[in-house]
Amino acid sequence: MTTDARSLNADLHSHSRYSDGRLTPAELVQRAHANGVELFALTDHDEVAGLDEAVAEAARVGLPFVPGVEVSVTWGAQTVHVVGLSIDYRNPELVAGLAETRGGRDRRAQAMSDSLALAGIPGAYEGALRHVGNPALVSRTHFARYLVERGVCRDVASVFRNYLVEGKPGYVPHSWARLENAITWIRGAGGIAVLAHPGRYPFGAATRRTLLEEFRAAGGRGIEVLSASHDEAESREFARHAVELGMLASRGSDFHAPAESRIDLGALPNLPAGVLPVWHDWPEAQRGFALRS
Ligand code: AMP
Ligand code: MN
Ligand code: MN
Ligand code: MN
C-alpha cells in the first residue's frame, strides 16, 4: 500500500439495534458514510443478524465494509470482549457458538430485574424490554436506558457507576463464552480476532499483559489500540504492546447511539506511528483509499 495505511479513516467497532445500539444497521452505515468513514464494520454483541442489512446498505452507498461481531467472553472471573473482523457470518460453528453465548441473556435479565426490585426499582425487566430491538439480546445497556428514562440516573454512564456493576444493585454474575472458543469460532469463519478495548478492563499492568499473551497464544491476532474507552496514554500503551507482541492494531469508536456515545463514528484520531493496522492487507482498505480520488 503506497499511502500510509494508518491514515485510512477505519471504524471497526459499532453497534446496531440488533444488540445494544439505537440505530438500524442501515442508519448506522449512512451515519458512518456521512461522517467520512472510509472502512466500516458492524460488530454487534454476540449477534450477526444485522449484517445482511449493513452489507446491503454499504454496497448501496459505496462504503467499504467488513462483517464483524463482538463476542462476550469470561476470562477467569472477568468479562472481556473479542471483536471478530472480516468474518463469514454464515459459518455454522460461529452461528451456533454465538447462539449459545446469547442463550442465558433473558434469564440473566430477569435476575437483574429481581435485584433492582429489591433495591426499590420495580418493573425493570419490562422497562428494559421496551428499549430492546432484538429479543435475543437483552443487555445491561437496555436496563441503563430504562433507569435513565425513570429518572433514577442522569445518564447511561452514571448508571454504570451506581447500578448493574459488581457490588451494586442489578448486578448478576454471568458466564459467557470461553476465550479459546470465541477465537476458534472467529478464525474458523475466516476472521481476525481482535481484543476489544483492553484499557476498559479493571486489571493491573501485569494482568493486562497476561491477557494479551493468552489471547495471542489462543490465536488472537489484533489489539484494539484506539477506542472511545481509551485515553491517550492507554492508546500509546496498547500500541506498544501490539509492536512488542507482533500483533495488528485496530481502531473502533464502539459507537452505540447519538448523544449517548462519547465518540461519534469515524471521529477517532489515526493509529500511533509504528503499528501495523489490522486492515493493512485488506482489499476493502484499498477501496477505502480509492474513494479519495
Ligand atoms: P452486557 O453485555 O449486557 O453485560 O452489557 C455490556 C454493555 O454495557 C457494553 O457493551 C456497553 O455498551 C455497556 N457498558 C458497560 N460499561 C459501561 C460504561 N461504563 N458506560 C457506558 N456503557 C457501558
Ligand atoms: Mn454495548
Ligand atoms: Mn465491548
Ligand atoms: Mn462494543
Side-chain angles (χ1 to χ4, degrees), residues 13 15 45 70 197 254 256:
H13 188 154
H15 298 276
H45 297 286
E70 182 176 19
H197 44 60
D254 205 359
H256 284 69

Side-chain angles (χ1 to χ4, degrees), residues 160-193:
F160 281 100
R161 285 191 293 272
N162 301 295
Y163 295 90
L164 313 181
V165 293
E166 200 168 347
K168 306 288 182 179
Y171 177 71
V172 174
H174 193 74
S175 223
W176 304 106
R178 293 173 53 85
L179 182 64
E180 308 76 46
N181 290 348
I183 295 169
T184 300
W185 299 332
I186 291 165
R187 296 182 73 196
I192 295 178

Side-chain angles (χ1 to χ4, degrees), residues 46 69 71-73 87-88 91-102 176-191 193:
D46 309 325
V69 69
V71 187
S72 310
V73 162
I87 50 167
D88 166 13
N91 177 273
E93 287 79 27
L94 173 70
V95 167
L98 295 176
E100 182 190 318
T101 306
R102 286 193 301 271
W176 304 106
R178 293 173 53 85
L179 182 64
E180 308 76 46
N181 290 348
I183 295 169
T184 300
W185 299 332
I186 291 165
R187 296 182 73 196

